[in-house]
């Protein structure tokens, strides 16, 4: 029996998610969007490529939550993306309203689904989605850390002229300018990055430049595109999480997860390494952080808390 994957939002990321899931035959796809035509058109277009790429899955487009019921995985991208000059936080008001509608829609029709939230501002929106839906905290997770880590690894691979597979790193904390590249645990071909700095293979200043470029990774693409924001790498990152759940791969992935005391914080979503398997977020992995990483992680959590306070001012029900 094929799994059922519902994509709430059939825009740039939603359409790319649908295509990637089809090519990997991860499950049948329901593309849901309030703009039903977009959902239906993209579902049909991807379906018509199945003879070329030899995949066999069902794809439908809809604006009716009934069509999404009993989904195994739900990936939420419903919302508005940034325009040039906007911060992720500027999207809070409008996307909170949208995520409340989405929560109402999914909690009745797919109460047992694993829900991956992508909509920005990510850390607060995923928290709101969990609160509005009341679905289990280990079954609702945010996608950001995989994207941020992937951007960091890519920039580092370009600088060192190495294949991306040779580099291991995590970017944790909030999905914003306060995100934290965990340089202490970053490895290049099995060697700690600080060894490469000592050996003069990469300058400390260049490494800091790469960290800064990663923080602004989304804005750099928004500036080029002028209309819309990144969608290929975000979609690839969301599929990585869905696949680990559906195939019980128990991959360790940086995601926005609900903390219950890990890293000294609780009752907040933040980007941390988690194990994703058939039960959802099965474990939060506590890395040994350097003093600098600990301090930067705390600052990042503070930034998330401030934005969540702003969200509670918009909707006191979130308290
Ligand atoms: O790392 C990350 N988490 C970020 C997330 C990376 C990149 C983009 N990030 C955010 O994802 C972005 O700031 C947006 O908040 C979402 C979706 O980005 P996308 O580029 O896919 O936006 P689009 O193309 O505008 O698609 C959004 C769709 C669009 O088709 C709307 O009609 C639909 O969402 N939409 C809705 N669908 C269902 N229900 C409701 N209420 C609704 N409102 C709008």
């Amino acid at each position: 029996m094929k799994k059922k994957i519902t994509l709430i939002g059939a825009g740039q990321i939603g359409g790319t998610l649908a295509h990637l899931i089809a090519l990997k035959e991860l499950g049948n796809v329901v593309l849901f969007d309030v703009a039903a035509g977009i959902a239906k058109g993209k579902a049909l277009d991807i379906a018509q490529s199945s003879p070329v790429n030899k995949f066999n899955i069902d794809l439908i487009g809809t604006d009716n939550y009934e069509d999404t019921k009993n989904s195994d995985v739900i990936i939420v991208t419903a919302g508005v993306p940034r325009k040039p000059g906007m911060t992720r936080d500027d999207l809070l008001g409008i996307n909170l309203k949208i995520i409340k509608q989405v929560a109402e829609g999914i909690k009745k029709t797919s109460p047992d689904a694993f829900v991956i939230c992508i909509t920005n501002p990510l850390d607060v929106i995923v928290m709101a989605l969990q609160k509005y839906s009341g679905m289990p905290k280990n079954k609702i997770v945010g996608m950001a850390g995989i994207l941020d880590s992937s951007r960091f690894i890519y920039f580092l691979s370009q600088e060192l002229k190495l294949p991306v597979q040779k580099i291991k790193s995590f970017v944790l904390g909030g999905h914003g300018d306060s995100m934290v590249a965990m340089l202490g645990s970053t490895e290049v071909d099995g060697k700690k990055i600080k060894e490469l700095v000592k050996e003069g293979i990469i300058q400390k200043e260049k490494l800091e430049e790469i960290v800064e470029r990663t923080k602004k990774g989304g804005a750099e693409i928004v500036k080029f595109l002028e209309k819309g924001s990144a969608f290929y790498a975000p979609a690839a990152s969301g599929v990585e999480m869905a696949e680990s759940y559906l195939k019980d791969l128990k991959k360790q992935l940086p995601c926005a997860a609900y903390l219950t005391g890990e890293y000294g914080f609780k009752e907040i979503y933040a980007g941390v390494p988690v194990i994703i398997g058939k039960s959802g977020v099965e474990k939060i992995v506590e890395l040994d952080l350097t003093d600098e990483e600990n301090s930067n992680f705390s600052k990042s959590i503070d930034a998330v808390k401030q934005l969540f306070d702003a969200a509670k001012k918009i909707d006191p029900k979130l308290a």
Side-chain angles (χ1 to χ4, degrees):
M1 174 75 169
K2 278 201 172 64
K3 299 292 187 184
K4 183 172 182 177
I5 303 165
T6 286
L7 308 173
I8 306 286
Q12 297 279 69
I13 301 178
T16 308
L17 284 165
H19 194 203
L20 290 173
I21 289 164
L23 291 171
K24 293 169 82 83
E25 288 191 308
L26 278 185
N28 293 327
V29 171
V30 177
L31 261 171
F32 175 101
D33 201 298
V34 286
I38 290 180
K40 291 183 170 131
K42 290 190 179 181
L44 184 56
D45 186 6
I46 295 169
Q48 289 170 358
S49 73
S50 56
V52 176
N53 294 118
K54 305 286 184 285
F55 60 77
N56 287 286
I57 62 161
D58 297 336
L59 280 133
I60 66 159
T62 183
D63 62 354
N64 181 349
Y65 273 105
E66 272 308 295
D67 294 327
T68 72
K69 71 179 175 220
N70 302 323
S71 294
D72 296 287
V73 169
I74 295 176
I75 308 179
V76 180
T77 62
V80 297
R82 285 191 273 171
K83 294 181 177 60
M86 280 176 85
T87 67
R88 295 177 178 96
D89 300 357
D90 291 337
L91 301 172
L92 181 60
I94 186 162
N95 284 349
L96 265 184
K97 286 197 192 77
I98 290 173
I99 218 71
K100 188 167 188 179
Q101 290 173 12
V102 173
E104 288 306 315
I106 64 174
K107 71 180 185 183
K108 292 192 286 285
T109 46
S110 298
D112 301 325
F114 180 57
V115 182
I116 299 166
C117 180
I118 295 185
T119 303
N120 266 331
L122 189 268
D123 306 282
V124 174
I125 293 293
V126 66
M127 217 170 335
L129 183 58
Q130 189 284 320
K131 280 181 178 281
Y132 284 138
S133 68
M135 290 163 78
K137 296 180 179 71
N138 71 316
K139 297 288 284 294
I140 294 197
V141 64
M143 187 300 287
I146 298 176
L147 172 65
D148 297 328
S149 304
S150 183
R151 284 172 171 160
F152 178 72
I153 290 168
Y154 168 70
F155 294 142
L156 202 47
S157 74
Q158 290 289 292
E159 175 62 25
L160 296 172
K161 295 180 179 43
L162 281 174
V164 289
Q165 293 86 339
K166 299 270 189 195
I167 300 172
K168 283 196 185 65
S169 187
F170 282 120
V171 174
L172 305 180
H175 180 51
D177 290 349
S178 68
M179 68 177 78
V180 188
M182 295 290 162
L183 297 178
S185 46
T186 297
E187 290 186 6
V188 178
D189 225 355
K191 245 174 153 179
K192 293 280 185 207
I193 191 77
K194 64 184 176 196
E195 297 306 316
L196 276 73
V197 172
K198 270 188 205 149
E199 293 163 16
I201 294 170
I202 181 168
Q203 301 304 313
K204 188 168 182 297
E205 293 68 31
K206 175 53 84 176
L207 198 49
E208 284 161 0
E209 191 185 300
I210 287 173
V211 169
E212 282 313 303
R213 189 178 177 196
T214 303
K215 291 180 180 178
K216 307 281 187 217
E220 182 179 4
I221 291 181
V222 167
K223 192 159 172 278
F224 281 128
L225 297 181
E226 293 182 5
K227 185 182 178 312
S229 51
F231 53 98
Y232 292 116
S237 305
V239 170
E240 175 81 343
M241 295 163 72
E243 187 171 36
S244 193
Y245 173 76
L246 289 168
K247 295 181 179 174
D248 193 24
L249 300 179
K250 298 192 190 306
K251 282 190 173 181
Q252 180 174 304
L253 300 167
C255 304
Y258 187 77
L259 302 182
T260 56
E262 299 83 355
Y263 295 93
F265 297 98
K266 55 184 176 185
E267 295 168 11
I268 191 165
Y269 270 84
V272 289
V274 300
I275 302 295
I276 295 184
K278 65 178 184 300
S279 311
V281 173
E282 299 185 344
K283 184 174 186 301
I284 291 179
V285 178
E286 294 200 72
L287 299 172
D288 290 330
L289 305 188
T290 63
D291 292 346
E292 185 184 7
E293 287 167 344
N294 248 321
S295 153
N296 290 334
F297 188 77
S298 303
K299 285 182 195 137
S300 192
I301 296 287
D302 287 344
V304 173
K305 280 180 179 166
Q306 278 166 32
L307 198 58
F308 199 58
D309 289 343
K312 286 184 275 191
K313 284 199 181 81
I314 295 169
D315 183 0
K317 286 201 189 73
L318 285 170

